[in-house]
Every structure is written in C-alpha cells, then in structure tokens.
Amino acid sequence: MKRRFMMFGRIIIPLFFFIFLIINNEALAKSTDNEVDLGPQSIQSLGEKRILIVVVRFPDATPTTPMETVKKRVVNGLSKYVVEQSYGLASVNADFRGYVMLSDSLSLYEISPYNFRVDKGRVRKLIEDTMNAIEREVDFSSYDHMLIVPAVHTMPGKGYGMICYCANPGMLSGVRRSYTPMYLTLRTASGKEFKGGVFVGAENANLGMFAHDYFHALAGIKDGKRLAP
C-alpha cells in the first residue's frame, strides 16, 4: 500500500506541477500581450519634422520671459526631448522667429482656460493673424507643423487664458463631447494656406507642456481619434 502511494505521488505531483506551469505561462502571456497592446500607432510622426516657431507680441502686453529662455526651451529642449523619447526615430528641425507683433490687443485673442468653452474663432484668429504678419517671408508649405508662442505670462484665466494646447487637430475643430478631431486648413488674407499641425504655448509654458501638445499635432488621426506618436 505504501509502495503504491509513493508511486502515485511520483506521477501525480509532477503532473500537477506541469499543469500549473502551463496555466501560469498562459496567464503571463495574456498579461504581457495586454501590456504591449498600445492600440493604433502613428507612423507619420517618424523622421525629421520642420517646425515653424513664432513668438508673437500684443500691443498692450509686455513679455516677462526673456527671448533666449523661450528659444532654449522650444528649440533646444523640445528637439532633445523628441529625439530621446523616440529613441532617435523622430527629430525636430526648428525655424525660430520672434518677436512678431500682432495688430490687435490681447483681449481679442485671449481664450477660456476650459477646453469646452474655448472660442475656436479666436484660436483661428491668433494663427491666421500670425501667418498674415509673416507671409511675405515664409513659405508655409515647407513646414510640417507650427508653434505659436504668445509672449505674455499666462495662468488659467489670466494673460492669454490657457497656458498650452493643440489647435490643429484640436481646438480649431471646437472641442465638444461629440467633436471629431481633424486637420483644418488655415489661410492668410492673400490666400496662402497651411494644413499641418498647430500647437500654442505661452512664454512661461514648461517643456512638458510643449511636448505634450506637439505630440497631439504630430501623431495624426485615425477613425476620428487622435493617435499616440
């Protein structure tokens, strides 16, 4: 009897252990699959992207952040961050311009700090007025994306109103609960067009804010949803 029990143990215990390993490995495989399934990924974010960066001023507002500080953050800082985060698969070729004076007072451009309350007409005005101011010296078709930096210290509801956001695709479409993000065409008064991504960040926005909204502009759209770059 004792001998039979020992033989039973030699067979059953390894068998249970073997079954346990199979079940555990399957569970681990499923867990790993779930962890690496990031959904649709953008391919248009790869490679070098030309970005037109324009620091704009308003007749009734004075910048508080030195120009060189802004340039270091949005040119050197953003470029280095993009290369590091993409493991060298993406990069930024920046064309930095500033200051560019806009024609109207800050009050005609400032927006709500709340996404659902942002006046998309004012967002378009900021971008197209900026394009109008530089259209004689810029070929917009040579750029992939555009960054506009309002040169005014901004906090929620103060200064420009919102510190940083993605305009195209994004605020230009009118962010609502049922909105569908899309790239819209922007035009100067003479008819020059720009169809690329546009993001906006105040002079005091930090690098993380600029990067976050650049990635929204960079990644693109699929099936009515913004992709991760």
Side-chain angles (χ1 to χ4, degrees):
M1 184 72 179
K2 184 177 180 180
R3 186 176 180 182
R4 288 182 180 178
F5 180 78
M6 291 178 64
M7 291 180 63
F8 178 81
R10 289 176 182 175
I11 296 173
I12 296 300
I13 292 176
L15 180 60
F16 272 114
F17 182 69
F18 180 69
I19 294 173
F20 169 78
L21 288 178
I22 293 175
I23 295 174
N24 189 57
N25 286 338
E26 288 181 353
L28 180 62
K30 289 181 180 179
S31 175
T32 303
D33 288 343
N34 289 335
E35 290 176 359
V36 300
D37 183 12
L38 301 178
Q41 298 294 294
S42 171
I43 58 173
Q44 74 176 40
S45 58
L46 300 177
E48 181 183 271
K49 302 300 177 185
R50 287 266 295 165
I51 303 180
L52 174 62
I53 302 175
V54 188
V55 184
V56 296
R57 287 194 59 178
F58 309 94
D60 57 344
T62 302
T64 60
T65 302
M67 173 73 74
E68 285 306 311
T69 300
V70 175
K71 183 176 182 179
K72 183 178 180 180
R73 188 177 302 148
V74 300
V75 176
N76 301 338
L78 183 61
S79 177
K80 182 179 179 182
Y81 186 85
V82 169
V83 171
E84 289 179 350
Q85 293 301 309
S86 67
Y87 296 94
L89 296 177
S91 61
V92 168
N93 183 352
D95 180 3
F96 183 87
R97 296 166 185 261
Y99 291 111
V100 172
M101 182 66 75
L102 299 184
S103 57
D104 292 323
S105 65
L106 175 61
S107 62
L108 295 181
Y109 297 97
E110 62 182 319
I111 59 174
S112 169
Y114 304 105
N115 288 354
F116 294 116
R117 298 180 183 176
V118 169
D119 183 341
K120 62 183 180 181
R122 292 192 171 206
V123 174
R124 179 175 286 274
K125 175 177 173 59
L126 174 72
I127 301 169
E128 292 185 338
D129 282 3
T130 299
M131 292 172 62
N132 284 329
I134 60 175
E135 68 171 332
R136 292 183 179 180
E137 57 191 80
V138 170
D139 176 10
F140 296 108
S141 65
S142 66
Y143 301 97
D144 299 291
H145 305 291
M146 186 189 310
L147 166 61
I148 297 177
V149 183
V152 56
H153 187 85
T154 299
M155 296 298 287
K158 298 180 180 179
Y160 177 62
M162 184 179 286
I163 302 174
C164 205
Y165 64 89
C166 183
N168 202 29
M171 294 299 181
L172 278 174
S173 304
V175 178
R176 298 290 185 269
R177 295 188 186 280
S178 59
Y179 102 112
T180 300
M182 63 185 73
Y183 286 101
L184 299 180
T185 300
L186 296 141
R187 294 181 180 84
T188 65
S190 67
K192 292 184 179 180
E193 297 183 345
F194 183 72
K195 301 180 180 181
V198 181
F199 59 118
V200 178
E203 63 174 11
N204 58 299
N206 61 47
L207 176 59
M209 293 177 177
F210 283 117
H212 174 91
D213 287 303
Y214 171 56
F215 291 157
H216 278 313
L218 173 68
I221 298 169
K222 181 178 181 180
D223 299 329
K225 295 181 179 180
R226 295 194 292 191
L227 295 174

